[in-house]
Amino acid sequence: MSLLSIENLRKVFSEGETDEVVALEGINLEIEDEEFICLVGPSGCGKTTLLRIVAGLDTPSSGVALLAGNEILGPDPERGMVFQEYSLFPWLSVIDNIEFGLEMKGVSKKARSETSEKYLELVGLKQFAGSFPHELSGGMRQRVAIARALANDPKVLLMDEPFGALDAQTRNMMQKELLEIWRRAKKTVIFVTHSVDEAVFLADRIIIMSPRPGKIKEIVAVDIPRCRERTAPEFANLRKYVLSLMGEGTI
Amino acid sequence: MASNKKDNLKRVLLPAASILIFIIIWQIVAEFYVNNPFLLPSFTDVISAFLSMAFGPKGSLPKDLWYSLLHFAIGMVAAIIVGIPVGVAMGWFKDVDIALNPLIELIRPIPPLAWIPFAIIWFGLTNAAAGFIIFIGAVFPILINTYTGFREVPKVFIEAGKVLGCTNNFSLIRRVAFPSAIPSIMSGIRISMGVGWMCLVGAEIFGAGSGKYGLGKNLWTYYNLHQMPSVVVYMLILGFIGIFIDLIFRHYVNKQMLKWREEDL
Ligand SMILES: Nc1ncnc2c1ncn2[C@@H]1O[C@H](COP(=O)(O)OP(=O)(O)OP(=O)(O)O)[C@@H](O)[C@H]1O
Ligand SMILES: [Mg+2]
């Protein structure tokens, strides 16, 4: 049995009203334990909605999402989420934001600071430990949000375009680090991105969605061994293939 | 840099000049045109009244100040103790909002001073009676700002809290909604201190209080004694203390509670 099964999932917003939106329709998906999944698709195809249902922040209109056989009924720190929009608590310093989840779990002060320092270093923001979110740039804030989700050590990590605001260099570095964490900490990751390049670099499987209503169009397994070379011909070929499936031509 | 310095200098000199000119005109008008300290006491009349009150043997100024601050503190503390929890409950629990909202909208438009008869009947001529009037004036701005602050907590903060393990109402309120609402709550307290300070004078003039002392109380006594320079002294002191309380509050809040914010209160 797979870790996460999504069966016949359908999500409709404002059902029965004139502004009804079918965000997701007939989604069937099996995700294995420790699998790295990338979700790609045009804006508005329901990627965030799918992630939110897995997080337990939205409920499906019909169908179910099961985690290890149990229906997902609400949020749980076992399913961590990095939100698409800025979600850091502005009243907490960077370090306190990262330690928030650990504090909720009742972890001791000492163990908390060890963990938060580790992740702060990982995202390269050590000297900003005491800063408040409004003092950071957009990309830095997003890195703190990633550190906050990771510090909580969730089994399933849901990431909604986490690297969208980062420059290319930081982005590449963060991708490598994320893979390293994923490998070491044996997490299951569902990662939303607009970048096919990023998806091919990261994923075990790429799920390509199409909009109105949001459906799974194609699932592509990435069989290139890690660590992947962006310049390798197989990488370029796969990228072209995914792009062609997304209807963006082959260039 | 140079123009910056010049700007700063202007910021001090221009207001100082306008205050000085105001005082000079006041003095000239009072002394040479009105020439009647009952109608318009001059600036120097007021200064000498102040000096004799502050340092003279009979002055009740320190006691008036003390009792007024006591009335004010009773009212403000009660307003905070009632206003914040009720605002939190209404902002967080939809049912509480639906249940209490009409009641509050019925009571809120009653001017605080209209409560004076009942304040005196219920509390007698005590400090609590004056405190009650200030409470009535101060509680609604606090309550409403707490409520608004809670309603305007960004949804993503609540959701981030939930996925990080803040799953029950109590910890979500304490860890997420309350801190997020603090700027709004603090500006509610600030507004309510302004309202409360105004209510104080009315309450004391109408006799809600423990009797002999209070800035508003004795402002009225001096009026009855036709000592108008002393009335002006009390008016000015009431104004200055109002500003002073606001300054201290803002300073404290900005330095201690809102240092995470870009803009100050
Ligand atoms: N709370 C909501 N109420 C009504 N409609 C919604 C709501 N949330 C999402 N939708 C609609 O559902 C559809 C899917 O939205 P979703 O946010 O999942 O898209 P997305 O794939 O994440 O897009 P993007 O790449 O721009 O983030 C959109 O048409 C959106 O307008
Ligand atoms: Mg989205």
Side-chain angles (χ1 to χ4, degrees):
Chain A
M1 194 188 64
S2 46
L3 178 76
L4 183 72
S5 346
I6 293 166
E7 292 164 10
N8 262 318
L9 198 77
R10 179 180 148 88
K11 176 71 187 178
V12 188
F13 287 106
S14 330
E15 183 138 38
E17 287 163 43
T18 47
D19 57 347
E20 180 179 290
V21 183
V22 183
L24 294 172
E25 172 88 79
I27 305 285
N28 283 291
L29 187 60
E30 300 284 319
I31 294 175
E32 302 302 321
D33 194 10
E34 293 170 35
E35 201 173 9
F36 200 124
I37 297 287
C38 277
L39 222 52
V40 297
S43 184
C45 71
K47 304 180 294 293
T48 297
T49 307
L50 184 57
L51 231 53
R52 287 174 58 82
I53 289 173
V54 175
L57 294 170
D58 262 333
T59 45
S61 305
S62 65
V64 280
L66 302 164
L67 185 74
N70 303 313
E71 188 172 350
I72 293 171
L73 294 171
D76 188 292
E78 261 220 340
R79 278 165 277 126
M81 174 119 170
V82 178
F83 291 85
Q84 190 170 4
E85 66 267 50
Y86 295 133
S87 64
L88 292 182
F89 301 131
W91 57 90
L92 294 181
S93 65
V94 163
I95 198 94
D96 290 339
N97 260 288
I98 297 176
E99 289 180 18
F100 185 89
L102 298 168
E103 209 178 330
M104 295 312 303
K105 280 186 188 165
V107 175
S108 75
K109 178 83 197 107
K110 190 163 168 289
R112 286 207 307 264
S113 9
E114 269 168 27
T115 312
S116 59
E117 262 163 46
K118 185 174 98 186
Y119 285 103
L120 204 53
E121 186 145 30
L122 178 79
V123 295
L125 291 173
K126 214 164 181 184
Q127 67 274 42
F128 294 96
S131 305
F132 286 100
H134 80 258
E135 297 165 315
L136 306 182
S137 74
M140 287 154 84
R141 283 183 223 182
Q142 201 58 339
R143 279 187 274 160
V144 177
I146 292 162
R148 181 174 71 174
L150 290 172
N152 220 17
D153 196 25
K155 187 74 199 78
V156 179
L157 191 53
L158 307 165
M159 306 181 83
D160 202 348
E161 294 183 42
F163 302 159
L166 305 185
D167 60 278
Q169 224 175 338
T170 317
R171 191 171 179 145
N172 287 351
M173 190 266 293
M174 292 291 295
Q175 287 168 357
K176 287 201 180 109
E177 290 294 351
L178 179 63
L179 282 179
E180 188 56 31
I181 290 164
W182 164 75
R183 195 184 56 75
R184 249 189 297 137
K186 305 199 182 313
K187 292 180 193 307
T188 306
V189 181
I190 308 182
F191 186 106
V192 173
T193 175
H194 273 129
S195 156
V196 172
D197 183 81
E198 187 165 70
V200 175
F201 185 78
L202 293 173
D204 289 321
R205 285 191 293 159
I206 301 173
I207 294 171
I208 301 157
M209 294 181 65
S210 62
R212 275 171 293 270
K215 280 186 171 158
I216 294 179
K217 191 174 184 187
E218 192 80 52
I219 299 180
V220 177
V222 185
D223 289 325
I224 310 168
R226 292 183 179 94
C227 173
R228 293 169 187 161
E229 276 300 327
R230 285 192 158 83
T231 44
E234 42 186 355
F235 192 101
N237 286 338
L238 194 67
R239 200 176 64 200
K240 268 187 205 159
Y241 176 60
V242 173
L243 280 170
S244 71
L245 287 172
M246 290 173 73
E248 287 181 20
T250 47
I251 307 150
Chain B
M1 269 318 275
S3 77
N4 222 336
K5 248 186 192 155
K6 215 170 141 191
D7 257 20
N8 281 340
L9 204 61
K10 268 189 189 171
R11 259 169 233 289
V12 178
L13 285 184
L14 288 178
S18 81
I19 291 170
L20 195 68
I21 290 170
F22 174 79
I23 291 175
I24 290 170
I25 293 175
W26 171 15
Q27 183 71 22
I28 291 172
V29 170
E31 197 144 336
F32 299 105
Y33 292 88
V34 181
N35 204 6
N36 177 349
F38 184 68
L39 273 187
L40 182 66
S42 72
F43 177 70
T44 46
D45 291 341
V46 171
I47 293 294
S48 66
F50 171 72
L51 291 176
S52 72
M53 260 188 274
F55 305 108
K58 279 197 333 198
S60 63
L61 187 56
K63 278 202 160 137
D64 289 331
L65 192 59
W66 164 252
Y67 275 96
S68 283
L69 288 176
L70 180 66
H71 297 157
F72 183 68
I74 292 172
M76 284 306 303
V77 168
I80 288 169
I81 289 175
V82 173
I84 292 180
V86 176
V88 166
M90 287 177 67
W92 191 259
F93 301 103
K94 189 98 199 137
D95 289 350
V96 178
D97 183 16
I98 296 171
L100 292 188
N101 193 35
L103 182 65
I104 284 166
E105 289 309 314
L106 275 176
I107 300 174
R108 191 164 71 106
I110 302 172
L113 299 188
W115 287 87
I116 288 176
F118 277 107
I120 294 173
I121 290 169
W122 290 338
F123 297 96
L125 295 177
T126 60
N127 295 321
F132 177 74
I133 300 304
I134 292 153
F135 163 79
I136 295 282
V139 72
F140 293 108
I142 296 178
L143 194 158
I144 285 160
N145 269 48
T146 306
Y147 170 82
T148 321
F150 264 67
R151 296 316 297 267
E152 285 170 1
V153 177
K155 208 170 119 231
V156 69
F157 292 166
I158 302 286
E159 294 183 339
K162 283 182 180 169
V163 296
L164 289 166
C166 239
T167 40
N168 60 47
N169 280 320
F170 178 75
S171 51
L172 277 173
I173 290 173
R174 189 164 93 88
R175 299 311 198 102
V176 180
F178 193 77
S180 166
I182 277 187
S184 175
I185 296 174
M186 288 305 141
S187 83
I189 293 178
R190 197 182 155 204
I191 295 165
S192 76
M193 289 202 301
V195 177
W197 196 241
M198 291 182 195
C199 293
L200 173 93
V201 178
E204 287 181 355
I205 286 180
F206 281 101
S210 61
K212 280 172 74 183
Y213 301 112
L215 292 169
K217 164 84 193 158
N218 281 330
L219 179 140
W220 199 245
T221 311
Y222 285 121
Y223 161 67
N224 285 326
L225 296 173
H226 290 197
Q227 292 184 16
M228 297 318 279
S230 303
V231 171
V232 176
V233 171
Y234 273 56
M235 287 168 62
L236 291 174
I237 287 175
L238 279 162
F240 283 136
I241 293 175
I243 297 177
F244 193 61
I245 291 174
D246 189 52
L247 277 178
I248 292 181
F249 178 77
R250 272 169 60 199
H251 180 80
Y252 171 78
V253 166
N254 287 330
K255 288 282 164 302
Q256 296 299 315
M257 302 177 81
L258 297 180
K259 50 177 190 274
W260 53 272
R261 286 232 304 177
E262 262 163 299
E263 332 86 61
D264 281 348
L265 188 70

